[in-house]
Amino acid sequence: MSPLLDTPIEFKSWICLICGWIYNEAEGAPNDGLPPGTRWADVPTDWRCPECDVSKDDFVLSEF
């Protein structure tokens, strides 16, 4: 088996600076049109936070 196939895919989380809602790439946001596994880079630029309606620009990478 290839070593690349044995390497787990690392998903990241992004947190809204305004309301604290967390976007987890592994979970996506299916109710908002983002299926599980959707990377942050693939979230449309016009997407809005489902809790407080701010833009994608108001999210930061959660590094804890």
Side-chain angles (χ1 to χ4, degrees):
M1 185 174 273
S2 167
L4 291 177
L5 296 176
D6 293 335
T7 304
I9 297 172
E10 183 178 331
F11 290 106
K12 297 180 180 175
S13 295
W14 297 78
I15 187 165
C16 178
L17 290 172
I18 306 305
C19 72
W21 188 81
I22 297 172
Y23 176 76
N24 180 302
E25 292 176 333
E27 297 172 8
N31 293 338
D32 298 295
L34 302 174
T38 302
R39 298 292 185 174
W40 187 247
D42 297 326
V43 173
T45 56
D46 63 348
W47 179 83
R48 311 294 291 182
C49 176
E51 291 296 316
C52 69
D53 200 44
V54 296
S55 75
K56 185 178 169 183
D57 292 336
D58 290 306
F59 281 73
V60 294
L61 178 62
S62 174
E63 299 189 78
F64 56 90

